Amino acid sequence: SNSSVKKFRLIGHSLGGLVIRSYLERYNNSDNKVIQALTIGTPHQGTLLAYPLWENGEIWSEDLTSKIALSQILEICKLKKTDMRSSFRTGSISYPSKKDLIRSLIPSIQSLLPTFDYLYQNGKAKKTDSLIHQNDWLTKNLFPENHYQIKFDTLSGTGQSTLSNFVVFNPPASDLAKDIWADGKPIQENYVKDGDGTVLSSSSKLNGAGNETISGDHLKIVSSKEAIQKILHFLQYDNVKVASEVDLPEINSDNAMVISTDLNTHIILTDLSGKVLGEADNILVRFNPHVGVYKFSIMPKESGEAVLDAMFIGQTKEYANRQEKIKIYKNTRQTFLLTYLGKNMDSIRIIPFQQ
């Protein structure tokens, strides 16, 4: 109601673009605060990577940042759902499946399922509107012809190998009984170059919007020099010149090692000589780690029974992690050795270290 309130241009990357649409859908821009919106690599028609995640809790994304985020969410949700701290007393833990965690605690994944035909069986496309599991938001909130009464633009990526469809077969009865792969288990993955590696170009565009396409993967289309220049143009800062690109390990790394705690701590990672390799609160990420032995310390900011997690995330569809239950005391440092000898769970060890 305040006429002096400034107007806004909204920019959303990936799922953030759907958040913008959700806001505009809910409020219909009735206060006229938003004058323009730009979505970048947003799955307006869904992404195939949501299918294995929703159907069986499997992370098939090659985007390392997304894999780190999703794996951490899964592990944190697993702890919240199972109350692992009770195992301090019982010594036993019964974990829910990743699929059940996704569906109960991250239901928005269903809103990322493709709205176009993407499953093929016996040479024929399975109609999306006949599937057991369907997108529950995009199909009910179509992009309006009036574009929410604002100028709406999209920026899409291309030139990256991107999933376009799955060839599936009927899963075994044991899977169906658990509601796993209910619409078909993939036996073949088909790719095209018309996408950013996560979202197809056709999915990130909108009919009637100002659609532009640049070369790059899902992160490059929001971080490259060309992408930033287009974002600045959208913001009407054409006189601002982009400096040389910064090397971002999140984009250029093939794998990562993640150390995290579920309570509030400060983590410091070093090599055996004591050279600091990184430090962070609660979650520490080391990109492209070398095989070997590391040392890390945690400085608790609270006391309690905590879960310490060391995780390796690479190019495979699964991540390997090791969890240890520890008791921590505020401002009392604890030090551990972390052995990392390869890409499987047995190669990760957390060993208490006494100075």
Side-chain angles (χ1 to χ4, degrees):
S1 61
N2 188 346
S3 59
S4 65
V5 171
K6 295 181 179 180
K7 305 296 184 180
F8 296 93
R9 291 183 173 87
L10 301 180
I11 301 175
H13 174 242
S14 196
L15 182 59
L18 296 184
V19 173
I20 289 176
R21 282 184 55 185
S22 177
Y23 169 81
L24 294 171
E25 190 74 33
R26 180 173 182 180
Y27 297 104
N28 199 30
N29 202 28
S30 57
D31 54 9
N32 295 312
K33 288 183 179 179
V34 179
I35 59 174
Q36 195 173 358
L38 169 66
T39 63
I40 305 173
T42 293
H44 293 294
Q45 297 181 53
T47 170
L48 274 78
L49 293 173
Y51 183 70
L53 193 55
W54 185 257
E55 291 291 319
N56 200 30
E58 297 182 9
I59 305 172
W60 287 19
S61 173
E62 294 184 1
D63 177 350
L64 193 56
T65 302
S66 296
K67 293 176 78 169
I68 291 172
L70 284 169
S71 59
Q72 284 294 304
I73 290 172
L74 279 173
E75 291 304 313
I76 291 171
C77 288
K78 180 171 71 175
L79 296 177
K80 298 299 183 184
K81 199 72 172 177
T82 57
D83 189 14
M84 187 174 176
R85 293 184 188 82
S86 65
S87 66
F88 277 93
R89 296 177 292 277
T90 66
S92 62
I93 309 170
S94 179
Y95 291 132
S97 70
K98 293 177 182 176
K99 180 264 295 180
D100 289 337
L101 285 172
I102 289 290
R103 295 187 188 179
S104 63
L105 299 176
I106 322 176
S108 58
I109 298 299
Q110 187 176 6
S111 302
L112 300 178
L113 289 170
T115 57
F116 52 89
D117 295 340
Y118 65 102
L119 300 179
Y120 287 78
Q121 188 169 11
N122 300 324
K124 296 181 179 179
K126 301 181 71 170
K127 295 299 180 183
T128 305
D129 59 8
S130 68
L131 300 179
I132 295 173
H133 296 145
Q134 301 177 27
N135 193 304
D136 61 346
W137 192 83
L138 289 173
T139 54
K140 298 175 183 177
N141 298 277
L142 301 177
F143 187 61
E145 292 184 0
N146 68 356
H147 309 169
Y148 306 108
Q149 305 178 55
I150 63 172
K151 188 178 187 309
F152 211 103
D153 298 322
T154 74
L155 184 60
S156 306
T158 190
Q160 309 300 308
S161 184
T162 308
L163 275 168
S164 61
N165 63 74
F166 293 119
V167 177
V168 300
F169 73 103
N170 292 328
S174 58
D175 280 354
L176 288 175
K178 299 175 183 177
D179 196 21
I180 298 174
W181 304 119
D183 291 304
K185 186 173 183 177
I187 55 174
Q188 180 178 322
E189 305 160 23
N190 294 319
Y191 294 80
V192 296
K193 286 288 188 179
D194 192 16
D196 63 16
T198 298
V199 182
L200 291 166
S201 296
S202 57
S203 179
S204 60
K205 297 175 182 177
L206 287 166
N207 289 333
N211 299 308
E212 287 195 58
T213 303
I214 61 174
S215 179
D217 64 26
H218 198 58
L219 290 180
K220 282 284 189 181
I221 60 172
V222 76
S223 62
S224 70
K225 187 173 182 178
E226 181 183 8
I228 294 174
Q229 197 68 65
K230 288 188 177 295
I231 293 171
L232 289 171
H233 174 71
F234 168 81
L235 295 172
Q236 297 187 359
Y237 289 130
D238 292 299
N239 59 324
V240 177
K241 300 303 178 184
V242 182
S244 57
E245 292 184 29
V246 177
D247 182 28
L248 298 175
E250 296 89 338
I251 297 176
N252 300 317
S253 300
D254 294 323
N255 49 60
M257 181 170 64
V258 185
I259 303 170
S260 63
T261 58
D262 65 332
L263 294 186
N264 195 13
T265 65
H266 185 72
I267 305 170
I268 302 174
L269 178 69
T270 70
D271 60 17
L272 292 181
S273 71
K275 179 183 177 181
V276 176
L277 303 175
E279 58 181 293
D281 289 335
N282 306 324
I283 300 176
L284 184 147
V285 180
R286 175 71 175 174
F287 291 100
N288 286 337
H290 297 296
V291 170
V293 181
Y294 296 84
K295 185 190 295 184
F296 70 92
S297 300
I298 61 172
M299 178 62 76
K301 298 181 180 181
E302 59 183 316
S303 300
E305 298 172 336
V307 177
L308 177 61
D309 185 284
M311 177 183 298
F312 176 85
I313 302 171
Q315 297 301 311
T316 62
K317 294 174 181 175
E318 292 294 325
Y319 58 84
N321 72 308
R322 178 74 62 180
Q323 292 183 337
E324 297 290 341
K325 299 167 290 181
I326 60 174
K327 290 186 178 181
I328 61 175
Y329 302 92
K330 185 176 180 179
N331 296 329
T332 302
R333 182 187 299 271
Q334 294 189 46
T335 303
F336 302 83
L337 294 179
L338 173 62
T339 63
Y340 166 59
L341 302 177
K343 298 183 178 180
N344 56 65
M345 185 182 298
D346 293 334
S347 71
I348 302 174
R349 289 285 187 272
I350 301 174
I351 305 168
F353 179 79
Q354 299 297 328
Q355 298 283 3

